[in-house]
Every structure is written in structure tokens, then in C-alpha cells.
Amino acid sequence: MKMVDISAKEVTEREAIGEGCVYLEARVIRLIKNKQMEKGDVLEAARLAGILAAKKTPYLIPLCHPIPIESANIEFSLEKNRIRIIAKVKAKARTGLEMEALTATSVAALTIYDMCKPIDKNIVISEIKLLKKTGGKSGTYVRK
């Protein structure tokens, strides 16, 4: 195994957007929305955890290049029985940010799980995927 040599690649503006869903009971969604969870504000904790995870991706994923992230944002959409997570990461770099966006999405989802598991044992984390990436030699990718 080896880390891929990216030294000859051009630095370009890059962005990656990841998405995932956490399925919960409707009553738990209401508690989250009303900020009534015992552990505190679930979405803000998940947002901070996801952003931190994006910054720490090379420590979690073997052979992943450290990238100086310039922007990381996580948004949540609360629906009847799920929370949709969108993580967006930007940087000027020689390699893509897909792993950072997916790591941010995953850790945000795990944080929601952790904070809600005392009252909902049927939580499901799923549908983690790359929605979009821009920059670099391969250009733009948008999930259909």
C-alpha cells in the first residue's frame, strides 16, 4: 500500500457534497425539533461533530491526504420519520474532498444516533452517498 503521489497535480478549487439519512420515530423527531432531548441540542452537536470529522478525515481513513479545508457546513432537513444530512466541504487542493464530505455526513449521523439511542432503539443510518464533487482533472460529478 502507498499514499498516491499528488505532487504533480494542479491545485484547483474543489467542493464535495455528501448526503445521508437517519431514520427515527416521529416522536423523537419532534423532541429534536423542540430541543427537548435530554443530552441537549442534537442537531448542533451533530453539526459540530461532522465539521470536526471532516477536518480529521486523514486520521480516520488510511492513506487519505490531509487537505486544508477552507469551509465545512452541515445542514439538516427534518421530515416525519427521518433527518436528512447534507455536508458540504470546500478547499483549494490537489486532490478531492469526497472522503471529507462523506466522513462529515457519517459522523453527524452517528452523533444523532448516539444522542437519540436512549429513547429509540430502532434508529437506522442509511443512504450515505456523494451528491456532487467539483474541481480537479475529472471535473464535475453530480449524482443523477
Side-chain angles (χ1 to χ4, degrees):
M1 292 194 300
K2 65 177 182 174
M3 182 181 267
V4 175
D5 183 358
I6 60 169
S7 61
K9 292 175 84 175
E10 186 178 334
V11 172
T12 62
E13 286 205 25
R14 296 170 183 264
E15 177 183 76
I17 302 172
E19 176 187 45
C21 292
V22 181
Y23 289 85
L24 302 134
E25 295 173 6
R27 68 183 178 94
V28 179
I29 299 284
R30 284 192 301 278
L31 290 171
I32 292 168
K33 190 182 286 188
N34 295 325
K35 300 183 186 208
Q36 295 176 323
M37 292 294 291
E38 185 178 339
K39 287 188 173 185
D41 189 331
V42 172
L43 300 182
E44 284 309 307
R47 186 182 329 276
L48 289 173
I51 291 168
L52 178 60
K55 294 168 61 172
K56 296 294 185 181
T57 299
Y59 296 100
L60 301 170
I61 308 296
L63 309 176
C64 191
H65 291 88
I67 298 174
I69 294 172
E70 296 171 356
S71 173
N73 186 40
I74 300 185
E75 296 177 8
F76 303 98
S77 220
L78 281 74
E79 300 169 12
K80 181 182 176 185
N81 70 335
R82 74 176 185 166
I83 299 173
R84 182 173 176 239
I85 303 163
I86 301 286
K88 184 184 293 187
V89 183
K90 293 181 182 180
K92 292 179 185 79
R94 296 180 194 279
T95 190
L97 296 161
E98 295 95 318
M99 296 312 301
E100 286 73 9
L102 294 170
T103 300
T105 302
S106 300
V107 171
L110 288 168
T111 302
I112 293 169
Y113 187 105
D114 180 57
M115 293 185 76
C116 297
K117 72 182 189 283
I119 59 173
D120 186 350
K121 302 296 185 208
N122 295 310
I123 301 169
V124 174
I125 295 171
S126 69
E127 304 166 52
I128 293 175
K129 59 188 165 286
L130 181 69
L131 292 182
K132 181 179 179 182
K133 78 103 188 154
T134 62
K137 187 177 176 181
S138 65
T140 298
Y141 164 81
V142 178
R143 180 173 294 280
K144 292 178 173 61

